[in-house]
Structures are given as structure tokens and as C-alpha cells.
Amino acid sequence: VLGFSAVNIYSTFGKKKTLLLNLRKRKNLLRNHSISSGKNILLLYHHYITIFHRGEESLTTRSSRFRRRQPARQCPGDPPPAPSMARRSQSSSSSRVWRHLSLSYYLRRPARLALLFLGFVAATIAAWDRLSLVRDYEAEISRLDEEVNRLHDQLRNAGIYLAEDANIGNIIKKHHLEVDPVSNARREKVKEAMLHAWNSYVKYAWGQDELQPQSKNGVNSFGGLGATLVDSLDTLYIMGLKDEFQKARDWVAESLNFDKDYEASVFETTIRVVGGLLSAYDLSADKIFLEKARDIADRLLPAWDTSSGIPYNRINLAQGRASNPRWNGGRSILADSGTEQLEFIALSQRTGDPKYQQKAENVIRQFQKIFPSDGLLPININPHSGTAESYSTITFGAMGDRKMWETSMEGLLSLTKKTSPSNFYYVCEKNGDSLSDKMDELACFVPGMLALGASGYSPEKAEQIMDLAKEDMVVGTSWNILRPETIESLMYLWRLTGNKTYQDWGWDIFQAFEKNSRIESGYVGLKDVKTGTKDDMMQSFFLAETLKYLYLLFSPPSFISFDEWVFNTEAHPLKIVTRHDSEGALGAVEGKGLADSVIQTLGRKHKTSFVEFDPFKV
């Protein structure tokens, strides 16, 4: 169209010469005349112009010939001929218009042909360039839109909701989102470590409980429940590993089966499997996780069918037959009995079925009946009478737990000692009236526990508890199997004090793991940290807890905020919701993921209200 217009404009200033040739003459001329590189385009153009204007062109040619003849004699009755001047004007005007549409016109004028061709090329290039710019612009807009949506998802997951006219500066100040390139780089390193551990598990032990990295095979140490996979679900989600999370989710939906003739630990199955599935549900709102959590919980419930309500520690998942291990004299372990409350209360809140909450809370009521004045219950409980074994050990480490917290902390203070001459704190074990100078690595959660609980005291007492939490502690074990308890305490202390020293300590620990425990096929523990002798097990809690706590240690405090999430014993975050003590109120969140109805907490007492939430898409 641009070329056509240019021809018309240019031709109005050209000379008025010959009339249009007829079709045969033009055909012969095209056959014999040399045409430049625009020949094919012009021929195509000429073809369509010729067909469209064949009748008009023939008429023009006949009119031109008629002007050179004498007027024919007029027969009687014929209309009078038009004036000669009118015929000449009409023919001349028609000639001037149509000759510029004829290819022969330009073949006889090479300069104008070249100008026409250059105009056509310029118009084509301009149109193509414009289309390219539009395509590039649309692609850039699409990319930026995706980036904005991704950032919005991350902010929403951190509990930050942007209004239309949000002031970004105020948001950064309010939520402490100052860019920290050091923490960002460290967090990415932890994420890469998680990918290495996960990919090793996928390659060598997919669907099995745990990976033996040096043997490069899997082992079912928890009855074939996919412990590492289920334990890793929320870690994958929190770190934004979408493809890995989706693959694990599909395995849960298609392959996770609890109908196994296996004596499962009620404690381990609750914290790892029930807790892991509930956390994945709270984060993703995918109901398959809630369905699976309910399935395994129903298989565990017969363990609570005792005269006291104190549960047995083991149960056959297929037969529902519960018991206690012989090595412990048929007694129940305190940590097992006092650790399932969080998961089972959460399950009742999410399903609307009160039976899980009732079983778990009955245990606490039984503990209240036998609770000692110093707040230190022994590790063994009789499941039939519900009484404590007075001669059993009191410990905050293996097989012990925290009950009636504030009273217990008074007892804890009586168990703390300092090493000499280094003045490191440690928590003793108590046997009767004597103290044993022993603290294992499982007790390293104590600083974090103290820091969390300090806010519930008067200012003076809170300062005392927090000072103890900040003290350096020492353990007396020489092995390291990548346990999370120390990292857990560092994460709590960093978030509650803002002291970056705890981040630096955590980074030192992570670098030590990378140097001494990372191998080509995963991560292994050390049988002795002095010799560096490696074992052959990548514990599932390394992915579920250790790496998750490290990732959160280098993340802003508003990410998986303590005001909205609570961690179970296996570091699975569960959304904090309003406690419903009446059975009828429990259905408030039935059929809804906590990612759909999130509880927004106001202050430390967790006054709650429902707000809309878009789940984190990583």
C-alpha cells in the first residue's frame, strides 16, 4: 500500500506521455526487457493489476485510438455525439490515472522503477521492524509480569500483603526486609546442599526410608513409609523447589501405603509422617496430604487404648496391635507420650473430628495428676496405672521432654553446671538424688526452648532465662550424625535477639558439614569427629530439620514467622489456628487447607482472625 501511494504521488510530477500498451505488447516487453532484483515482486504486482484492470485498460486503449480517427457519420435517429473536447479530457484523465499502475510504464523509466523498488523495500523493513519491536515488548511485559507474581507469592508466604498503593519503603522497614547479600548467598548454598541430598536420595533410594550414601542403596528403617521423602516435603516447598515437591507429592498420592505388617514407633511415625503430611497440607492446601495424615493417624490411635490413656510406644500398622518394647520393661517413654499433642490436635482442627485431640489431651491431664513440685518427670511412665517410675532417670536429652514448662524450668536451673576451666554450661541428668555430669547432643535444643519461653515471665525472670539461653553449652559426645538441635537453637536465638553472631556460628557448622560429611552420593555422619571416620547413613532428619533450620537461620524473621507457625519435634511447621475446645467448633477448618484460611496472629498471645492467603508457589 505504501509503495502504491508513493508511485501515485511521484507520478503526478512526471511527464505525460504515451498511453497504456495492450496486453500483448506488455507481455513481449516483459519477456525481452531486463528487470532488476525486484523482478518477481513486480511481476506478481503486475499480474494482479492486469487482471483487475483488463477491462478498463482495453477501454482506455480503444478511446485513445478513437481520438485519432475522424468522427463517424451519424445515422438518423442516433443521439448527438459528445463534444470533442469532453472526449479528449475524459480520455486524457483516464490515461494519466491508469498508466501509473502499469508495469510497462516503469520498465520504460528505470529511475522511477528503482525509486519504486527502494520505497517498497523501505516500507517492508519498517513494517518488519515495527512488528519485531511489538513482539519484544510483549515478551518483556510477560516476563516482568511473571516476576512480579513470583515476588508477590514470596511476600505473601512471608505474611506480607501488598495493597494497590503499597509503600514499599514502609513495608521494608516494618518487616525488616533489608537486603542482606551475605545471608542471601548463604541461604542459596544451603538450598544447593538440599538439592544434593535430595537428588542423591532420588537416585539411589527413591521411595525407601533412608539413603546409605556410601553403599548407594536405600534401607527401610521405618517400615517402608518413605520417611525421607515425607520428611522432606515441607523443606522442598519452603525452599521453592517446585519440581522436586511435585514429584514427591505424586509418590505420596500413588505409592504411599500404610497397610503394612510392621511394628512402628508411635513417636517416630507421629513426628515424621503425621507431622510431615500436615505441614505439607498447611503449606500447599493439597488435600491428598490431609487424607494420608488421617489414614496413618487412624492406624496409630489404638496405641492410646490403655486404662490410663498413656499410649503404648509401638503399634502394628496393619493389625492395630499396640505394645511397649521389652527392653524398657513394658513401660511407656515420657517423650513419646508427651510429643504427639501438636500433631493430633492439629489433625482434629483440620478435619473437624475431635477424637485425635481428645486422645492427645487426655495424656496431658494424666501428667497433671502426677506432676511433681520440681516439674521434673522421670522418663518412664506406667501405661496402665499412669504413674511415674520414681527410680527412673530424669533427663532433657534422649527419651526426655518438656512438660508444664514454667515449673520444669525451675527444676532445669538446678540441673545446670559449668565446666572448669572453660566455664561452658551443660545440663546434667538426675538419677534419684544424684546428678550425672552428662549432656548428649539431643539436649542441645535447650537454648532455643529457653529463648522461646523467656517472654512469658516478668522482665527480671525473663532476663535470667534468656541469659542462660545465650550461654555457651558443651556436650560430651564425640560422634556427629548431622543432628539439628544446635542449629535449631541458633535459629531461635537469631530470630528472637537479632544477633548475627548466631548466624555466623550456624554458617561455621554448615561449612564443617560440607567439608567433612558431603560425598558424591549424599551426606554421611561421622563416627568420630576427631578421626573423621564416616558412617553410611543419611538420616531423614538431616533434610527435614538440619537443612531447614539452616535455611531459616539465613532468612528474614517474617519468613515462616513464629507468630503464625509452630514447629513440631521434627521441624515440621504447622499453622497456628484458634483453639476449639468444643467438638462442634472443630469443623471450622474442615476441608480447607491452612494455606486457604490462614490465621493472622496479633502479638505474642496469638489473638487470631481469618485472613485470605495465597499459598507460596516456589
Side-chain angles (χ1 to χ4, degrees):
V1 172
L2 290 175
F4 181 82
S5 300
V7 169
N8 282 326
I9 294 171
Y10 183 84
S11 63
T12 56
F13 298 96
K15 298 178 180 180
K16 299 178 181 179
K17 291 192 175 182
T18 61
L19 299 173
L20 295 173
L21 299 174
N22 57 34
L23 290 176
R24 180 173 296 178
K25 287 182 179 180
R26 273 180 285 164
K27 180 176 180 181
N28 293 334
L29 180 62
L30 286 174
R31 182 182 295 118
N32 300 321
H33 195 84
S34 175
I35 303 177
S36 64
S37 59
K39 177 179 179 180
N40 292 333
I41 299 173
L42 293 174
L43 281 174
L44 182 62
Y45 173 78
H46 166 258
H47 172 69
Y48 285 105
I49 291 298
T50 298
I51 293 174
F52 184 78
H53 296 296
R54 179 177 297 170
E56 289 86 347
E57 190 173 356
S58 299
L59 179 62
T60 302
T61 303
R62 288 195 300 268
S63 299
S64 299
R65 292 173 180 172
F66 181 79
R67 286 199 305 271
R68 291 194 296 268
R69 298 174 184 172
Q70 291 295 329
R73 243 201 269 182
Q74 187 174 359
C75 299
D78 288 344
S84 176
M85 182 60 70
R87 286 198 307 270
R88 188 178 301 112
S89 175
Q90 181 180 1
S91 175
S92 175
S93 176
S94 176
S95 163
R96 284 196 302 271
V97 171
W98 293 113
R99 67 177 178 175
H100 299 300
L101 300 179
S102 171
L103 182 59
S104 61
Y105 174 81
Y106 296 100
L107 293 177
R108 295 166 63 94
R109 297 166 178 78
R112 294 190 181 184
L113 177 62
L115 182 61
L116 173 63
F117 177 74
L118 290 175
F120 175 79
V121 171
T124 302
I125 292 174
W128 176 85
D129 182 63
R130 179 63 180 174
L131 290 174
S132 299
L133 288 175
V134 170
R135 284 194 298 268
D136 293 343
Y137 173 79
E138 291 175 345
E140 182 68 10
I141 290 296
S142 178
R143 187 188 67 79
L144 291 175
D145 189 54
E146 291 177 359
E147 181 71 10
V148 168
N149 289 335
R150 184 183 67 81
L151 294 173
H152 270 287
D153 290 337
Q154 292 184 358
L155 288 173
R156 282 191 289 266
N157 186 66
I160 303 168
Y161 303 91
L162 297 181
E164 291 289 338
D165 55 348
N167 187 309
I168 301 301
N170 291 339
I171 291 172
I172 291 175
K173 186 180 297 183
K174 176 181 177 182
H175 294 278
H176 308 289
L177 295 178
E178 291 84 0
V179 175
D180 184 350
V182 174
S183 292
N184 288 344
R186 290 174 174 178
R187 186 170 60 249
E188 289 304 308
K189 287 290 185 180
V190 174
K191 183 176 180 179
E192 189 278 328
M194 176 64 186
L195 270 175
H196 176 64
W198 174 257
N199 289 335
S200 298
Y201 168 77
V202 171
K203 184 174 182 179
Y204 300 113
W206 178 249
Q208 299 185 69
D209 287 329
E210 290 179 311
L211 166 66
Q212 294 178 317
Q214 299 209 68
S215 303
K216 295 184 178 180
N217 57 43
V219 58
N220 285 324
S221 46
F222 296 98
L225 303 181
T228 293
L229 188 149
V230 177
D231 249 350
S232 301
L233 285 167
D234 53 1
T235 306
L236 295 171
Y237 195 95
I238 287 170
M239 291 187 181
L241 301 172
K242 293 195 302 183
D243 294 339
E244 291 76 8
F245 176 82
Q246 185 61 42
K247 182 175 181 178
R249 181 265 175 209
D250 292 342
W251 185 90
V252 169
E254 298 167 5
S255 303
L256 183 56
N257 176 27
F258 300 124
D259 189 19
K260 298 180 181 294
D261 188 12
Y262 168 71
E263 296 289 326
S265 165
V266 176
F267 166 72
E268 295 290 355
T269 307
T270 298
I271 66 172
R272 295 171 188 259
V273 182
V274 179
L277 292 169
L278 285 175
S279 181
Y281 173 67
D282 281 0
L283 288 164
S284 69
D286 192 327
K287 293 184 179 180
I288 187 62
F289 298 122
L290 185 60
E291 293 171 6
K292 293 291 185 179
R294 191 168 192 170
D295 182 3
I296 185 62
D298 287 339
R299 296 174 184 273
L300 296 175
L301 276 184
W304 277 262
D305 293 338
T306 65
S307 55
S308 68
I310 301 296
Y312 291 112
N313 296 151
R314 306 192 67 81
I315 190 168
N316 186 290
L317 296 178
Q319 302 173 17
R321 185 178 62 250
S323 63
N324 278 333
R326 292 181 180 179
W327 59 263
N328 201 36
R331 296 166 297 182
S332 296
I333 299 172
L334 175 66
D336 289 26
S337 304
T339 307
E340 292 97 358
Q341 283 70 33
L342 183 59
E343 294 85 356
F344 278 79
I345 292 173
L347 186 58
S348 282
Q349 290 174 324
R350 286 147 182 77
T351 62
D353 190 336
K355 64 183 179 183
Y356 311 105
Q357 179 172 328
Q358 290 170 354
K359 294 285 188 182
E361 289 190 331
N362 186 56
V363 176
I364 301 300
R365 284 190 286 270
Q366 183 61 38
F367 285 165
Q368 289 173 336
K369 295 177 183 178
I370 62 173
F371 202 62
S373 58
D374 62 359
L376 300 177
L377 280 168
I379 63 175
N380 291 318
I381 307 292
N382 189 308
H384 305 292
S385 65
T387 58
E389 302 288 350
S390 59
Y391 53 85
S392 65
T393 303
I394 294 173
T395 175
F396 277 82
M399 300 190 298
D401 210 340
R402 170 178 62 88
K403 295 297 165 283
M404 292 46 163
W405 194 84
E406 292 186 5
T407 305
S408 298
M409 290 309 97
E410 297 301 320
L412 172 67
L413 294 176
S414 69
L415 300 180
T416 57
K417 285 187 176 183
K418 283 189 175 183
T419 61
S420 178
S422 58
N423 284 328
F424 289 142
Y425 272 89
Y426 63 96
V427 181
C428 299
E429 291 184 356
K430 185 177 182 180
N431 293 281
D433 293 329
S434 63
L435 297 181
S436 174
D437 296 320
K438 174 182 178 294
M439 177 177 175
D440 63 40
E441 73 273 21
L442 286 170
C444 291
F445 75 89
V446 169
M449 177 187 70
L450 293 171
L452 270 178
S455 62
Y457 287 101
S458 64
E460 295 79 11
K461 189 66 174 180
E463 184 178 0
Q464 178 189 5
I465 297 294
M466 183 60 79
D467 287 344
L468 178 59
K470 295 176 182 178
E471 289 286 352
D472 295 337
M473 291 191 175
V474 63
V475 297
T477 56
S478 61
W479 64 83
N480 188 298
I481 57 174
L482 310 177
R483 285 199 182 277
E485 285 78 16
T486 300
I487 305 296
E488 177 184 12
S489 287
L490 294 177
M491 189 269 291
Y492 281 114
L493 286 165
W494 141 245
R495 288 202 170 190
L496 295 172
T497 68
N499 188 343
K500 292 193 174 184
T501 299
Y502 301 115
Q503 290 182 310
D504 294 336
W505 289 351
W507 180 244
D508 291 342
I509 294 173
F510 173 73
Q511 288 181 305
F513 288 162
E514 290 291 289
K515 179 181 178 182
N516 299 288
S517 293
R518 178 167 176 157
I519 63 175
E520 177 270 334
S521 51
Y523 288 84
V524 295
L526 300 181
K527 296 179 179 179
D528 191 321
V529 296
K530 298 176 182 178
T531 64
T533 304
K534 295 177 172 60
D535 66 16
D536 191 20
M537 183 66 71
M538 186 173 75
Q539 307 280 349
S540 78
F541 57 67
F542 178 65
L543 293 81
E545 301 184 69
T546 306
L547 291 177
K548 183 187 293 137
Y549 282 137
L550 279 166
Y551 189 81
L552 295 176
L553 177 63
F554 304 122
S555 299
S558 57
F559 183 71
I560 311 296
S561 167
F562 290 164
D563 285 334
E564 294 186 348
W565 298 87
V566 58
F567 293 86
N568 82 338
T569 307
E570 193 75 2
H572 296 306
L574 302 174
K575 262 296 178 180
I576 298 172
V577 301
T578 305
R579 261 304 284 275
H580 299 293
D581 293 320
S582 62
E583 293 184 10
L586 282 172
V589 294
E590 182 178 7
K592 298 180 72 176
L594 270 293
D596 292 320
S597 298
V598 162
I599 301 305
Q600 183 182 45
T601 56
L602 307 175
R604 301 298 300 174
K605 293 186 178 180
H606 304 306
K607 181 179 178 181
T608 58
S609 61
F610 283 98
V611 295
E612 291 184 357
F613 180 71
D614 196 4
F616 177 57
K617 298 173 182 178
V618 224

